Amino acid sequence: MERYHVALALTAKLLHKPAMPADFSRETYAIANGLWPLAGIDEVGRGPLAGPVVAAAVILDPARVPHGLDDSKKLPAAIREELFGEIMERALAVTVASATAVEIDALNIRQATLLAMRRAVAALPLAPLHVLVDGNDPPQLSCGCEAIIQGDGAVASIAAASIVAKVTRDRMMARLCRRYPAYGFSGHVGYATPQHRKAIAEHGPCPEHRYSFAPVKGVWFR
């Protein structure tokens, strides 16, 4: 609780950092209006043909917001890795959750994505009073939840969640590549590249493929 009192005391002193594409203004507003702790959530992996969809939830420390937070897709891999380390070190709370390829096939990708988001928020050691999520399709939560289109490039907490989810999923796909080397998962992380489609045609899908997605759908079955 002492950290929250410090955070509240710092509200008036927080300065937006010009070098940070995603700023902390939404979080500052939340602190000033009694909506703290606030978590940002984002997902990675809706479109791939294989692997899980991964969601991250992040509650940043108002006094230790990393510089340079932005949409993970806009950042070079080396910068993402560096920011990932800073987020994990500085944030008040970080959780990552996923929905597997089997769950995606059973539920559909939208419902599986919302499930991963709910899991990430539920796992936070600090219960947020409010959540900001990238996009226009927020999960149903026990606290307030606001969807922000392109929030991963505008809101610091969402950008941090975007980075954590992306780095985590890329590492998961690299591990899957060692288990299923024929598909080259570490290179395309499951997306429908020509190389990936060729590997599926030659070897058939593996258990980590989404059987509800073309070109696997209707051709192969679990």
Side-chain angles (χ1 to χ4, degrees):
M1 291 301 297
E2 182 179 350
R3 300 186 76 176
Y4 298 122
H5 295 154
V6 171
L8 290 168
L10 286 171
T11 300
K13 300 180 181 180
L14 291 173
L15 299 176
H16 302 327
K17 305 174 179 63
M20 185 167 24
D23 68 41
F24 201 70
S25 60
R26 292 271 187 162
E27 293 86 348
T28 302
Y29 177 86
I31 293 171
N33 287 273
L35 295 176
W36 193 262
L38 175 143
I41 60 176
D42 198 9
E43 55 75 25
V44 173
R46 288 180 70 115
L49 306 181
V53 59
V54 174
V58 177
I59 300 175
L60 292 172
D61 184 337
R64 305 181 70 205
V65 179
H67 291 265
L69 294 174
D70 201 353
D71 175 1
S72 63
K73 298 184 293 296
K74 298 178 182 178
L75 299 171
I79 300 299
R80 282 199 303 266
E81 289 283 346
E82 180 180 347
L83 284 168
F84 175 87
E86 291 186 25
I87 294 163
M88 298 302 291
E89 177 186 354
R90 299 182 184 185
L92 296 177
V94 181
T95 55
V96 179
S98 64
T100 66
V102 172
E103 290 176 314
I104 291 168
D105 290 340
L107 298 172
N108 72 47
I109 185 59
R110 175 179 177 269
Q111 292 300 330
T113 299
L114 295 174
L115 175 62
M117 289 181 175
R118 290 194 298 270
R119 286 171 172 170
V121 173
L124 284 167
L126 306 173
L129 295 183
H130 197 65
V131 169
L132 302 178
V133 58
D134 182 53
N136 60 3
D137 190 17
Q140 290 189 344
L141 301 170
S142 58
C143 63
C145 184
E146 179 183 358
I148 301 173
I149 295 174
Q150 297 183 342
D152 51 1
V155 180
S157 295
I158 301 177
S162 170
I163 292 165
V164 171
K166 171 64 175 169
V167 171
T168 300
R169 188 177 188 279
D170 284 357
R171 292 178 180 180
M172 293 170 73
M173 295 308 293
R175 290 194 294 271
L176 288 179
C177 191
R178 293 192 290 271
R179 189 184 305 174
Y180 304 104
Y183 301 97
F185 287 145
S186 61
H188 52 67
V189 295
Y191 283 91
T193 63
Q195 173 200 3
H196 190 189
R197 287 179 175 271
K198 181 180 178 182
I200 294 172
E202 291 178 353
H203 304 285
C206 75
E208 296 297 330
H209 279 96
R210 301 173 183 181
Y211 283 64
S212 57
F213 282 34
V216 177
K217 183 178 180 180
V219 179
W220 288 277
F221 303 89
R222 289 193 186 275

